[in-house]
Amino acid sequence: MPSQIDEKQSEIVKSIAAEVRSRQLGEGSGHDWSHTNRVWNLALLMAEREGSVVYIVSLAALLHDIGDWKLFTGGEAAGQAEVRNIMVEAGVDADSINHVLTIISEISFYGGGTPRPMSTLEGKIVQDADRLDAIGAIGIARCFAYGGSRDRLIYDPDITPRTDLNKAEYKANKGDSINHFHEKLMLLKDLMNTSTGRSMAEQRHAVMERFLADFMNEWNEAQSHATDADVNLA
Ligand code: NI
């Protein structure tokens, strides 16, 4: 049985959910409130099956993108300070604050060449939930929303995917959105921490495989009808 959440904890979770929701509503890069809400719900579903501390899983799921290096202009340290502030304001105890901050610092993906193991079951669950929302049909939609928010091309055939990037290279990498499937999204299925996450990832992975095959077929179909006029523009 998962450890249940008491009334006081439940109130704290609700107040933090309201705070995060107000900050993320209308965010356009795929890290909006609906993403956080899905990660929260997926994490709760996994917490039930895997038997972990629901309170910590809820807090970490709700706060996981608040200090994200991709989104928070003040950098990682400022992001962590912000997350700590929100929890202090809401009345979270010191041990739980430290556990949640550890999860959040461990959770980000820094390229296929930089594996970062999660140190607790609660962290493994939240990371799996975040990764599940990055793959499948929703993952496809979020990938292009994020790419668009960073002025990335949908696809550039001249860019070769790299799955061995270190943290600095991954951060600096411009890439295109299709490339992002090969450098990150298609790797996530094999990086899931929990058995629940692994089985849920299978179907979502298959959706992306079909999508990429269809995308390339359509791309190549159009290319095969290129005229001399197109060639002269290059
Ligand atoms: Ni996220």
Side-chain angles (χ1 to χ4, degrees), residues 31 35 64-65 130 142:
H31 296 78
H35 162 64
H64 82 277
D65 271 340
D130 195 31
R142 292 185 63 228

Side-chain angles (χ1 to χ4, degrees), residues 156-227:
D156 180 348
D158 294 334
I159 295 178
T160 312
R162 289 187 52 195
T163 54
D164 59 341
L165 297 176
N166 67 32
K167 179 175 170 178
E169 289 169 333
Y170 185 74
K171 276 186 165 188
N173 189 22
K174 184 86 175 143
D176 62 66
S177 291
I178 289 293
N179 198 28
H180 190 64
F181 282 86
H182 300 293
E183 288 185 352
K184 175 178 176 184
L185 306 182
M186 300 305 283
L187 309 180
L188 293 181
K189 171 178 74 75
D190 293 328
L191 294 172
M192 301 302 283
N193 304 300
T194 67
S195 58
T196 313
R198 257 191 302 282
S199 69
M200 291 176 76
E202 290 291 338
Q203 176 155 356
R204 294 176 186 226
H205 185 83
V207 168
M208 294 193 296
E209 276 182 334
R210 278 201 300 277
F211 167 76
L212 286 174
D214 285 346
F215 182 97
M216 292 316 301
N217 281 341
E218 291 175 17
W219 185 278
N220 292 330
E221 194 170 48
Q223 288 305 112
S224 72
H225 289 281
T227 64

